Amino acid sequence: MAPGLISDEIPSGDRVVSKEMVVTVTNGHATDEEDAVGKKVVNGDDVKKADASEQETPSDSEKSSPETKTEGAGEEAEPQDTTTMKCEIKHLDRRFDAKDEKYFEERKDDVEKPKQKDWWRLYAFCMVRHFNSDKELETTRLYVNPQPLRQLLKDLIGNYPGDPIDVDDVQIEAPYHPLFYFRQEIETEGLKRFESDEESLAQLKLLISWIKSHFEQDIAAYQKCIANELKAISYDKIWTLFPPKTIVHCKVLNQSRALRVTDSWYDESDLPGFGMRTKYVDFDGERLGTRRLEMFIPKYQGTRELSQLSTMPLDLHEDAAEVREELLARGRKFETYLGQHYLSYNGIALKATPNGYARYNVSGRVMIDCKTYHRLDPNDSFTVKEMSKDETTRWERSRRRHHSSNNGLSFAGEERTYDKLSDEDAMLTNATVRGYSFTVKRFLEFFVDELFPIEWNTTCFDDLVLDPAVKKTVRALVSTHAQKRDTFDDIVKGKGQGLVCVLHGPPGVGKTLTAECVAEYVKRPLYMVSSGDLGTSSTDLDHQLTRIMDMTATWRAVLLIDEADVFLERRSLHDLHRNAMVSVFLRVLEYYGGILFLTTNRVTTFDDAFKSRIHIPIRYTDLSVESRMQIWRNFCKMVPGGVDINEKGLAILANHDLNGRQIKNAIKAAESLAAFDGAKLDLEQLLHITKIQATFEKDLTSLSGIDYTAPGETKKDADSRNMFL
């Protein structure tokens, strides 16, 4: 029998679809035929499409039916060759008999086949309609029987999503998208592979001819789209642009993203549209892998340009080369943030909530650490799927350590190494990384493009106005504690390994600044908390303090508890609530292994148990004239554009009884005044601000009341008015 072209589905308005042998597909009945050659198929009520919406994988019993049954009456068919495979496409129905057993039958009712096992395998291709036990049509599949052709499809199509190729029994379910996507590869590789095999070559050409005929309109729409400068396509043909493994471009959280398509479908629900399952590369704190993300293009009328769609193939983007370069640069940056990294951030950070993403404006230092994020916030965690062998073979196996980009930090998890991503996988990385903001005090997601290395202030410790002997002691303690070295331990292992410093003295003399300078000196994170952050009950204190000390110990951060009086106050027999809080603080403090600074100005109320837990107490006194002059000098050097003040002017300013914080505020206010006048900051402006500050200090310490007498008014009138205030 001569090779023929078969079509199992007849689109609306189709013409003749075969020239020699034609067998049409109906929904359960064969169409009337005038003859077996040259039959024309027209669109009519009695010609229906075969439903291909469902998929079913045949069992082994389907491959070898024990009994072959035929349908219809007529003259006995001529004996046929039962050993030679025929290069044609045979249209069959797979049904259930009275015993609920599956069998194959021809759709023509005038030919009776011999009762031979697997007789249908003698045809190169079989278009089989699958019926269930209720005689309802489920789907239609193309069976490929020649072994060389099965191997070719296995090598080229492989594990196609939802319809993988089994080399021993190749069945491709309608609508046969794998054959469309791989049509060029099938033709090119097949012609090369079967060049000297006439039988396989004829079978290949039959398959190629069927593919081109079946997808004639789809191929035309696809080629017109990619060739046209506007690149537009209709909704019903959009599937042709998104074969599996296609890299698509879209916007997610207003960030340019590249995703790899794994599967696609048309959704005909209340909100119709074209859906795609995609995946991208992410890090879950333990390993690199892939995560899934579904994209959706709502249904539209007519044709639409790809640039107007929410998702489009990256290769068809008008600025594809530029977009690839940007995505690759961000992906390489993403790689450097695996593990723990202390960085600077300035931008919007995100936090997933049941109602969507909450946005936080973050400007300051952050700790990138997905592992700790997931450990302390497990309700917002994820795990990645290990990359398949097809993906990992593209990875460069050269190992790389990340300590070169850690800003001098040394974390326990940094010894881990990760494979370097290929360029394509680097483009597929997430646009955000997870970590903790020390300003917002929340675990958040940070955009990779807004992260930058920290600019450390290496001279701040030198500028700290503190007794040289005390400063040397503090520097020695924190330096040796920051180093990993062997030292003696407590009798109970794990106790007393931290460094606890108590800074006590009047406000504004440098207690908080000392802790900040220490953090800069050792290049560690600084975690600042107050009593309000720790709660007002023993239960809240236990939970919050344990959590905070867990984070700071993990990141080897410097912990500063400002105004810690409430937790250090002496216990009594009557205040059980305070006793419980002090006891919790003592217990947690005993096992803390990091650097802890406690600031207070009420050391006389300390509980006796704290005395033995303090490694170094530092006493701060009121500032001397020399100290104030040095503080004025240090802050004036930080003014952008400089100041017009000499040493004599600094000496005049130092005579004003101001603490360090007041000096800083005065310089900031004077700087604003100078900017308003369009002049350089000088002594006159600073004296004006300090005069205002001195007046306020005088009012605060007045014992006889404040004199609010207006200029030109008598004091008596002012006193009379003050009686009613």
Short mmCIF file of all heavy atoms in Angstrom, two decimals, residues 161-195:
data_model
loop_
_atom_site.label_atom_id
_atom_site.label_comp_id
_atom_site.label_asym_id
_atom_site.label_seq_id
_atom_site.Cartn_x
_atom_site.Cartn_y
_atom_site.Cartn_z
N PRO A 161 7.31 17.16 29.24
CA PRO A 161 6.41 17.32 30.40
C PRO A 161 5.00 16.83 30.11
O PRO A 161 4.35 17.25 29.16
CB PRO A 161 6.43 18.84 30.64
CG PRO A 161 7.71 19.30 30.05
CD PRO A 161 7.95 18.42 28.86
N GLY A 162 4.52 15.92 30.94
CA GLY A 162 3.17 15.41 30.81
C GLY A 162 3.00 14.34 29.76
O GLY A 162 1.97 13.66 29.73
N ASP A 163 3.98 14.18 28.88
CA ASP A 163 3.86 13.18 27.80
C ASP A 163 5.24 12.66 27.43
O ASP A 163 5.70 12.83 26.30
CB ASP A 163 3.17 13.82 26.59
CG ASP A 163 2.66 12.76 25.61
OD1 ASP A 163 2.68 11.56 25.96
OD2 ASP A 163 2.25 13.12 24.50
N PRO A 164 5.95 12.04 28.38
CA PRO A 164 7.31 11.57 28.09
C PRO A 164 7.32 10.43 27.08
O PRO A 164 6.34 9.69 26.94
CB PRO A 164 7.82 11.11 29.46
CG PRO A 164 6.58 10.76 30.22
CD PRO A 164 5.52 11.71 29.74
N ILE A 165 8.43 10.28 26.39
CA ILE A 165 8.57 9.25 25.37
C ILE A 165 9.11 7.97 25.99
O ILE A 165 10.15 7.98 26.64
CB ILE A 165 9.51 9.73 24.25
CG1 ILE A 165 8.93 10.97 23.55
CG2 ILE A 165 9.76 8.61 23.24
CD1 ILE A 165 7.64 10.71 22.81
N ASP A 166 8.37 6.88 25.81
CA ASP A 166 8.82 5.55 26.22
C ASP A 166 9.29 4.84 24.96
O ASP A 166 8.48 4.54 24.06
CB ASP A 166 7.67 4.79 26.88
CG ASP A 166 8.08 3.38 27.31
OD1 ASP A 166 9.27 3.04 27.15
OD2 ASP A 166 7.21 2.64 27.78
N VAL A 167 10.58 4.60 24.86
CA VAL A 167 11.15 4.08 23.62
C VAL A 167 10.54 2.73 23.23
O VAL A 167 10.51 2.36 22.05
CB VAL A 167 12.68 3.97 23.74
CG1 VAL A 167 13.07 2.87 24.72
CG2 VAL A 167 13.33 3.77 22.38
N ASP A 168 10.02 1.97 24.21
CA ASP A 168 9.43 0.66 23.90
C ASP A 168 7.98 0.77 23.45
O ASP A 168 7.45 -0.19 22.87
CB ASP A 168 9.50 -0.24 25.13
CG ASP A 168 10.94 -0.54 25.52
OD1 ASP A 168 11.78 -0.67 24.61
OD2 ASP A 168 11.21 -0.63 26.73
N ASP A 169 7.35 1.88 23.70
CA ASP A 169 5.95 2.03 23.32
C ASP A 169 5.64 3.53 23.19
O ASP A 169 5.13 4.14 24.12
CB ASP A 169 5.04 1.37 24.36
CG ASP A 169 3.56 1.41 23.93
OD1 ASP A 169 3.31 1.53 22.72
OD2 ASP A 169 2.70 1.32 24.81
N VAL A 170 5.94 4.10 22.04
CA VAL A 170 5.80 5.53 21.83
C VAL A 170 4.34 5.85 21.52
O VAL A 170 3.78 5.40 20.52
CB VAL A 170 6.70 6.01 20.68
CG1 VAL A 170 6.46 7.50 20.41
CG2 VAL A 170 8.16 5.77 21.04
N GLN A 171 3.73 6.61 22.42
CA GLN A 171 2.36 7.09 22.23
C GLN A 171 2.35 8.59 22.48
O GLN A 171 2.69 9.04 23.58
CB GLN A 171 1.40 6.40 23.20
CG GLN A 171 1.38 4.89 23.09
CD GLN A 171 0.44 4.26 24.10
OE1 GLN A 171 -0.48 4.92 24.60
NE2 GLN A 171 0.64 2.99 24.40
N ILE A 172 1.97 9.36 21.49
CA ILE A 172 1.94 10.82 21.61
C ILE A 172 0.48 11.25 21.59
O ILE A 172 -0.25 11.00 20.63
CB ILE A 172 2.72 11.48 20.47
CG1 ILE A 172 4.18 10.98 20.49
CG2 ILE A 172 2.67 13.00 20.59
CD1 ILE A 172 5.01 11.51 19.36
N GLU A 173 0.09 11.89 22.68
CA GLU A 173 -1.32 12.25 22.86
C GLU A 173 -1.65 13.55 22.13
O GLU A 173 -0.82 14.47 22.04
CB GLU A 173 -1.64 12.39 24.35
CG GLU A 173 -3.11 12.57 24.65
CD GLU A 173 -3.40 12.59 26.13
OE1 GLU A 173 -2.44 12.67 26.92
OE2 GLU A 173 -4.59 12.51 26.51
N ALA A 174 -2.89 13.60 21.61
CA ALA A 174 -3.38 14.84 21.01
C ALA A 174 -3.38 15.94 22.08
O ALA A 174 -3.63 15.66 23.25
CB ALA A 174 -4.78 14.64 20.44
N PRO A 175 -3.03 17.17 21.75
CA PRO A 175 -2.87 17.75 20.41
C PRO A 175 -1.48 17.65 19.82
O PRO A 175 -1.10 18.50 18.99
CB PRO A 175 -3.28 19.21 20.63
CG PRO A 175 -2.87 19.49 22.04
CD PRO A 175 -3.08 18.22 22.79
N TYR A 176 -0.65 16.72 20.24
CA TYR A 176 0.63 16.39 19.60
C TYR A 176 1.62 17.56 19.58
O TYR A 176 2.41 17.71 18.64
CB TYR A 176 0.40 15.89 18.17
CG TYR A 176 -0.80 15.00 18.01
CD1 TYR A 176 -1.91 15.43 17.28
CD2 TYR A 176 -0.86 13.74 18.60
CE1 TYR A 176 -3.03 14.63 17.13
CE2 TYR A 176 -1.97 12.93 18.46
CZ TYR A 176 -3.06 13.38 17.73
OH TYR A 176 -4.17 12.60 17.60
N HIS A 177 1.61 18.37 20.62
CA HIS A 177 2.52 19.52 20.66
C HIS A 177 4.00 19.15 20.58
O HIS A 177 4.78 19.89 19.97
CB HIS A 177 2.26 20.35 21.90
CG HIS A 177 0.99 21.14 21.81
ND1 HIS A 177 0.47 21.86 22.88
CD2 HIS A 177 0.13 21.34 20.77
CE1 HIS A 177 -0.65 22.46 22.51
NE2 HIS A 177 -0.89 22.15 21.25
N PRO A 178 4.45 18.01 21.17
CA PRO A 178 5.88 17.67 21.03
C PRO A 178 6.32 17.56 19.58
O PRO A 178 7.44 17.95 19.24
CB PRO A 178 5.98 16.33 21.76
CG PRO A 178 4.84 16.32 22.71
CD PRO A 178 3.74 17.06 22.04
N LEU A 179 5.46 17.02 18.73
CA LEU A 179 5.82 16.90 17.32
C LEU A 179 5.95 18.26 16.65
O LEU A 179 6.78 18.44 15.76
CB LEU A 179 4.79 16.04 16.59
CG LEU A 179 4.68 14.59 17.07
CD1 LEU A 179 3.58 13.85 16.30
CD2 LEU A 179 6.01 13.87 16.92
N PHE A 180 5.14 19.23 17.10
CA PHE A 180 5.26 20.58 16.54
C PHE A 180 6.57 21.24 16.99
O PHE A 180 7.31 21.79 16.17
CB PHE A 180 4.07 21.43 16.96
CG PHE A 180 4.20 22.87 16.57
CD1 PHE A 180 3.80 23.31 15.32
CD2 PHE A 180 4.74 23.80 17.45
CE1 PHE A 180 3.93 24.64 14.95
CE2 PHE A 180 4.87 25.13 17.10
CZ PHE A 180 4.47 25.56 15.85
N TYR A 181 6.84 21.18 18.29
CA TYR A 181 8.01 21.86 18.81
C TYR A 181 9.31 21.27 18.27
O TYR A 181 10.29 22.00 18.08
CB TYR A 181 8.02 21.79 20.33
CG TYR A 181 6.91 22.58 20.99
CD1 TYR A 181 6.16 22.04 22.05
CD2 TYR A 181 6.60 23.87 20.57
CE1 TYR A 181 5.15 22.77 22.66
CE2 TYR A 181 5.59 24.61 21.18
CZ TYR A 181 4.87 24.05 22.21
OH TYR A 181 3.86 24.79 22.82
N PHE A 182 9.34 19.95 18.02
CA PHE A 182 10.57 19.30 17.60
C PHE A 182 10.54 18.90 16.12
O PHE A 182 11.33 18.04 15.71
CB PHE A 182 10.81 18.04 18.46
CG PHE A 182 11.15 18.34 19.89
CD1 PHE A 182 10.15 18.46 20.84
CD2 PHE A 182 12.46 18.52 20.30
CE1 PHE A 182 10.44 18.74 22.17
CE2 PHE A 182 12.76 18.80 21.62
CZ PHE A 182 11.75 18.92 22.56
N ARG A 183 9.67 19.53 15.36
CA ARG A 183 9.52 19.12 13.96
C ARG A 183 10.81 19.32 13.16
O ARG A 183 11.18 18.46 12.34
CB ARG A 183 8.37 19.88 13.31
CG ARG A 183 8.58 21.38 13.21
CD ARG A 183 7.31 22.09 12.77
NE ARG A 183 7.52 23.51 12.55
CZ ARG A 183 7.58 24.42 13.51
NH1 ARG A 183 7.42 24.02 14.76
NH2 ARG A 183 7.80 25.68 13.23
N GLN A 184 11.49 20.42 13.37
CA GLN A 184 12.71 20.67 12.62
C GLN A 184 13.82 19.72 13.03
O GLN A 184 14.57 19.22 12.17
CB GLN A 184 13.15 22.13 12.82
CG GLN A 184 12.16 23.15 12.26
CD GLN A 184 12.61 24.58 12.49
OE1 GLN A 184 13.54 24.83 13.25
NE2 GLN A 184 11.94 25.52 11.84
N GLU A 185 13.95 19.46 14.32
CA GLU A 185 14.96 18.51 14.78
C GLU A 185 14.68 17.11 14.26
O GLU A 185 15.60 16.37 13.89
CB GLU A 185 15.02 18.50 16.31
CG GLU A 185 15.57 19.77 16.93
CD GLU A 185 14.48 20.82 17.11
OE1 GLU A 185 13.39 20.65 16.51
OE2 GLU A 185 14.72 21.80 17.84
N ILE A 186 13.39 16.72 14.26
CA ILE A 186 13.03 15.39 13.76
C ILE A 186 13.40 15.25 12.29
O ILE A 186 13.97 14.23 11.88
CB ILE A 186 11.51 15.14 13.96
CG1 ILE A 186 11.19 15.05 15.46
CG2 ILE A 186 11.06 13.89 13.24
CD1 ILE A 186 9.70 14.98 15.76
N GLU A 187 13.11 16.27 11.52
CA GLU A 187 13.43 16.20 10.08
C GLU A 187 14.93 16.22 9.84
O GLU A 187 15.46 15.40 9.09
CB GLU A 187 12.77 17.36 9.35
CG GLU A 187 13.00 17.33 7.85
CD GLU A 187 12.19 18.40 7.12
OE1 GLU A 187 11.55 19.23 7.80
OE2 GLU A 187 12.21 18.41 5.87
N THR A 188 15.64 17.12 10.48
CA THR A 188 17.08 17.25 10.24
C THR A 188 17.84 16.02 10.70
O THR A 188 18.62 15.43 9.93
CB THR A 188 17.63 18.50 10.96
OG1 THR A 188 16.92 19.65 10.51
CG2 THR A 188 19.11 18.67 10.69
N GLU A 189 17.62 15.62 11.96
CA GLU A 189 18.33 14.47 12.49
C GLU A 189 17.88 13.17 11.83
O GLU A 189 18.69 12.27 11.58
CB GLU A 189 18.13 14.40 14.01
CG GLU A 189 18.78 13.21 14.70
CD GLU A 189 20.30 13.21 14.59
OE1 GLU A 189 20.87 14.31 14.36
OE2 GLU A 189 20.90 12.12 14.72
N GLY A 190 16.57 13.06 11.54
CA GLY A 190 16.07 11.83 10.91
C GLY A 190 16.65 11.63 9.52
O GLY A 190 17.06 10.51 9.17
N LEU A 191 16.67 12.66 8.69
CA LEU A 191 17.25 12.53 7.35
C LEU A 191 18.72 12.15 7.41
O LEU A 191 19.22 11.40 6.57
CB LEU A 191 17.07 13.84 6.58
CG LEU A 191 15.62 14.22 6.22
CD1 LEU A 191 15.57 15.58 5.55
CD2 LEU A 191 14.99 13.15 5.32
N LYS A 192 19.41 12.67 8.42
CA LYS A 192 20.83 12.34 8.57
C LYS A 192 21.01 10.90 9.07
O LYS A 192 21.87 10.17 8.58
CB LYS A 192 21.46 13.33 9.54
CG LYS A 192 22.92 13.06 9.85
CD LYS A 192 23.43 14.08 10.85
CE LYS A 192 24.88 13.78 11.22
NZ LYS A 192 25.41 14.75 12.21
N ARG A 193 20.16 10.48 10.02
CA ARG A 193 20.31 9.16 10.62
C ARG A 193 19.85 8.04 9.69
O ARG A 193 20.43 6.95 9.69
CB ARG A 193 19.55 9.11 11.94
CG ARG A 193 19.71 7.83 12.72
CD ARG A 193 18.94 7.88 14.04
NE ARG A 193 19.41 8.93 14.94
CZ ARG A 193 19.02 9.03 16.21
NH1 ARG A 193 18.16 8.15 16.72
NH2 ARG A 193 19.47 10.02 16.97
N PHE A 194 18.79 8.28 8.90
CA PHE A 194 18.21 7.23 8.06
C PHE A 194 18.60 7.38 6.59
O PHE A 194 17.88 6.93 5.70
CB PHE A 194 16.69 7.26 8.18
CG PHE A 194 16.20 7.11 9.59
CD1 PHE A 194 15.11 7.85 10.05
CD2 PHE A 194 16.81 6.24 10.48
CE1 PHE A 194 14.66 7.72 11.35
CE2 PHE A 194 16.36 6.10 11.78
CZ PHE A 194 15.29 6.84 12.23
N GLU A 195 19.72 8.00 6.36
CA GLU A 195 20.13 8.25 4.97
C GLU A 195 20.30 6.96 4.17
O GLU A 195 19.97 6.89 2.98
CB GLU A 195 21.45 9.04 4.98
CG GLU A 195 21.94 9.44 3.61
CD GLU A 195 23.20 10.26 3.67
OE1 GLU A 195 23.74 10.46 4.78
OE2 GLU A 195 23.67 10.71 2.60
#
